Amino acid sequence: MKKISIIIPVYNEEESLPFLFERLNNLMNQLENYEFEILFVNDGSKDNTLEIIKQQRQMDNRISYLDFSRNFGKEIAMIAGLDYVTGDAVIFMDADLQDPPELILDFVKYWEEGYDDVYAKRRSRKGETFLKKFTSKMYYKVLQKVAGMEIQKDTGDFRLLDRRCANALRKLRESQRCTKSMFSWIGYKKKEVLYDRDPRVAGKTKWNYKKLIDLAIDGITSFTTSPLRLATYISIPTFIMLGVYFIYVIAKCFVVNMPIQAFQAIILLILFFSGIQILLFGILGEYLGRIFVETKHRPLYLVNEYNGQKEENEEKIQ
Ligand code: UDP
Ligand code: MG
């Protein structure tokens, strides 16, 4: 019997959990040919979330939990979940039922057809403000440009991953995680499933704009070092201005026979030294960028198949 693991990060979700258990039970009854493991990653909840999960576990041993020492954020909860589950397929899901569990039926169907990464794509975003819709749209645009690779739009973390994708994700151990772009980075055979995103069933969203902006910056900086190159680019027009002004002043001095004035000398000096400084920043940035890329210790590539054998990415991670 194949085993499906569902990872659910939870942070102050006591109000959503009863609804969630019910919907999950229905789902598991519909998929009786599979073994299930539901791992709740309790991300430092301050309410009764953990107690409710523990109670449920006493009635249903398919439920397990991992309890963090504090709030680490959803991204870290997800990788921790991956480190602990053992299923042949792994599903990420939110606790607030914005990701309808019934969609997992489709996920599993496509997985059985041979897809490695089946993800849910939102058709609509009920119950979200215009501002949030707009910012998320712009963000995908920028991320896509900067990352230089296809990033699935309107896609959250709700998805099914084959075991080998889960193992591949476990190899990306950087601490500032942008899991969304990692799903693109690992590649493999992807399949999208369209759905309507519901409003959360109870409780409040755990995101605020500060968290969202942090996530957005992590997303961009974890993919490229191009912001660091900015200094190099800025130094170029500075030097051009220096050159042009220098020629102008010298020409005036010799052609019109007008002595160089103090303010002109000052402008020249300012342009010269600021140009050099920005250039040096740029050089520092380039080196910093290289160090940054190297210290991530990402694997350089991932193998899909070798002589007809699927690569399972099964190395132990220390
Ligand atoms: N979550 C978490 N840690 C956090 C914030 C959120 O584990 O610091 C969980 C939360 O319990 C939920 C999921 O991540 O299961 C998505 O959070 P939320 O619904 O608040 O985000 P939104 O749907 O508004 O993007
Ligand atoms: Mg939500």
Side-chain angles (χ1 to χ4, degrees), residues 13 94 96-98 128 132 197 200 205-207:
E13 296 284 3
D94 285 359
D96 57 7
L97 290 172
Q98 281 192 293
E128 286 189 6
K132 186 156 180 202
R197 187 156 171 90
R200 72 170 19 251
T205 176
K206 307 301 177 302
W207 291 105

mmCIF file of all heavy atoms in Angstrom, residues 13 94 96-98 128 132 197 200 205-207, ligand 2:
data_model
loop_
_atom_site.group_PDB
_atom_site.id
_atom_site.type_symbol
_atom_site.label_atom_id
_atom_site.label_comp_id
_atom_site.label_asym_id
_atom_site.label_seq_id
_atom_site.Cartn_x
_atom_site.Cartn_y
_atom_site.Cartn_z
ATOM 1 N N GLU A 13 -4.130 27.969 15.169
ATOM 2 C CA GLU A 13 -5.231 27.560 14.294
ATOM 3 C C GLU A 13 -6.325 26.798 15.047
ATOM 4 O O GLU A 13 -7.044 26.003 14.467
ATOM 5 C CB GLU A 13 -4.702 26.686 13.142
ATOM 6 C CG GLU A 13 -3.756 27.377 12.195
ATOM 7 C CD GLU A 13 -4.462 28.323 11.219
ATOM 8 O OE1 GLU A 13 -5.694 28.481 11.321
ATOM 9 O OE2 GLU A 13 -3.767 28.906 10.373
ATOM 10 N N ASP A 94 -2.480 24.126 3.866
ATOM 11 C CA ASP A 94 -2.723 25.078 4.952
ATOM 12 C C ASP A 94 -3.796 24.523 5.879
ATOM 13 O O ASP A 94 -4.617 23.715 5.473
ATOM 14 C CB ASP A 94 -3.193 26.429 4.407
ATOM 15 C CG ASP A 94 -2.054 27.222 3.801
ATOM 16 O OD1 ASP A 94 -0.917 26.730 3.832
ATOM 17 O OD2 ASP A 94 -2.323 28.319 3.293
ATOM 18 N N ASP A 96 -6.197 26.300 7.293
ATOM 19 C CA ASP A 96 -7.421 27.105 7.350
ATOM 20 C C ASP A 96 -8.451 26.724 6.289
ATOM 21 O O ASP A 96 -9.416 27.454 6.078
ATOM 22 C CB ASP A 96 -7.074 28.586 7.229
ATOM 23 C CG ASP A 96 -6.291 28.891 5.960
ATOM 24 O OD1 ASP A 96 -6.139 27.985 5.136
ATOM 25 O OD2 ASP A 96 -5.832 30.032 5.800
ATOM 26 N N LEU A 97 -8.220 25.604 5.603
ATOM 27 C CA LEU A 97 -9.136 25.098 4.576
ATOM 28 C C LEU A 97 -9.270 26.037 3.386
ATOM 29 O O LEU A 97 -10.227 25.948 2.624
ATOM 30 C CB LEU A 97 -10.519 24.776 5.163
ATOM 31 C CG LEU A 97 -10.508 23.548 6.086
ATOM 32 C CD1 LEU A 97 -11.841 23.409 6.791
ATOM 33 C CD2 LEU A 97 -10.177 22.290 5.311
ATOM 34 N N GLN A 98 -8.301 26.924 3.227
ATOM 35 C CA GLN A 98 -8.275 27.697 1.976
ATOM 36 C C GLN A 98 -7.839 26.774 0.848
ATOM 37 O O GLN A 98 -8.106 27.045 -0.321
ATOM 38 C CB GLN A 98 -7.310 28.870 2.086
ATOM 39 C CG GLN A 98 -7.899 30.032 2.853
ATOM 40 C CD GLN A 98 -7.061 31.275 2.709
ATOM 41 O OE1 GLN A 98 -5.936 31.339 3.191
ATOM 42 N NE2 GLN A 98 -7.610 32.268 2.049
ATOM 43 N N GLU A 128 -10.173 38.119 -0.487
ATOM 44 C CA GLU A 128 -8.889 38.786 -0.326
ATOM 45 C C GLU A 128 -9.016 40.206 -0.848
ATOM 46 O O GLU A 128 -9.729 40.469 -1.807
ATOM 47 C CB GLU A 128 -7.796 38.028 -1.071
ATOM 48 C CG GLU A 128 -7.419 36.752 -0.351
ATOM 49 C CD GLU A 128 -6.196 36.073 -0.941
ATOM 50 O OE1 GLU A 128 -5.571 36.639 -1.844
ATOM 51 O OE2 GLU A 128 -5.897 34.973 -0.492
ATOM 52 N N LYS A 132 -4.067 43.030 -1.808
ATOM 53 C CA LYS A 132 -3.309 41.783 -1.714
ATOM 54 C C LYS A 132 -3.243 41.089 -3.075
ATOM 55 O O LYS A 132 -2.203 40.551 -3.456
ATOM 56 C CB LYS A 132 -3.937 40.862 -0.665
ATOM 57 C CG LYS A 132 -3.093 39.627 -0.450
ATOM 58 C CD LYS A 132 -3.276 38.978 0.883
ATOM 59 C CE LYS A 132 -2.361 37.768 0.954
ATOM 60 N NZ LYS A 132 -2.775 36.793 1.926
ATOM 61 N N ARG A 197 -10.067 29.411 -4.719
ATOM 62 C CA ARG A 197 -9.559 29.528 -3.349
ATOM 63 C C ARG A 197 -10.641 30.084 -2.461
ATOM 64 O O ARG A 197 -11.194 31.155 -2.712
ATOM 65 C CB ARG A 197 -8.336 30.436 -3.326
ATOM 66 C CG ARG A 197 -7.629 30.480 -1.986
ATOM 67 C CD ARG A 197 -6.177 30.880 -2.203
ATOM 68 N NE ARG A 197 -5.462 31.161 -0.967
ATOM 69 C CZ ARG A 197 -4.805 30.250 -0.271
ATOM 70 N NH1 ARG A 197 -4.818 29.006 -0.655
ATOM 71 N NH2 ARG A 197 -4.139 30.592 0.814
ATOM 72 N N ARG A 200 -10.631 31.867 4.366
ATOM 73 C CA ARG A 200 -10.255 30.962 5.467
ATOM 74 C C ARG A 200 -11.477 30.669 6.329
ATOM 75 O O ARG A 200 -12.350 31.491 6.517
ATOM 76 C CB ARG A 200 -9.046 31.457 6.252
ATOM 77 C CG ARG A 200 -9.267 32.636 7.118
ATOM 78 C CD ARG A 200 -8.135 33.014 8.098
ATOM 79 N NE ARG A 200 -6.772 32.562 7.934
ATOM 80 C CZ ARG A 200 -6.206 31.650 8.730
ATOM 81 N NH1 ARG A 200 -6.890 31.069 9.684
ATOM 82 N NH2 ARG A 200 -4.944 31.348 8.571
ATOM 83 N N THR A 205 -5.821 35.697 9.230
ATOM 84 C CA THR A 205 -4.600 35.402 8.486
ATOM 85 C C THR A 205 -3.380 35.714 9.357
ATOM 86 O O THR A 205 -3.405 36.636 10.165
ATOM 87 C CB THR A 205 -4.528 36.186 7.163
ATOM 88 O OG1 THR A 205 -3.267 35.908 6.554
ATOM 89 C CG2 THR A 205 -4.663 37.675 7.383
ATOM 90 N N LYS A 206 -2.328 34.897 9.192
ATOM 91 C CA LYS A 206 -1.147 35.071 10.024
ATOM 92 C C LYS A 206 -0.139 35.985 9.354
ATOM 93 O O LYS A 206 0.924 36.241 9.856
ATOM 94 C CB LYS A 206 -0.503 33.713 10.309
ATOM 95 C CG LYS A 206 -1.460 32.682 10.872
ATOM 96 C CD LYS A 206 -2.085 33.159 12.161
ATOM 97 C CE LYS A 206 -3.106 32.196 12.734
ATOM 98 N NZ LYS A 206 -4.216 31.864 11.877
ATOM 99 N N TRP A 207 -0.506 36.445 8.160
ATOM 100 C CA TRP A 207 0.434 37.302 7.444
ATOM 101 C C TRP A 207 0.150 38.751 7.740
ATOM 102 O O TRP A 207 -0.971 39.170 7.883
ATOM 103 C CB TRP A 207 0.307 37.081 5.940
ATOM 104 C CG TRP A 207 0.787 35.752 5.544
ATOM 105 C CD1 TRP A 207 0.029 34.668 5.199
ATOM 106 C CD2 TRP A 207 2.141 35.323 5.462
ATOM 107 N NE1 TRP A 207 0.837 33.611 4.909
ATOM 108 C CE2 TRP A 207 2.124 33.971 5.071
ATOM 109 C CE3 TRP A 207 3.374 35.956 5.691
ATOM 110 C CZ2 TRP A 207 3.291 33.241 4.892
ATOM 111 C CZ3 TRP A 207 4.518 35.214 5.510
ATOM 112 C CH2 TRP A 207 4.468 33.873 5.116
HETATM 113 MG MG MG B 2 -4.798 31.124 4.665
#
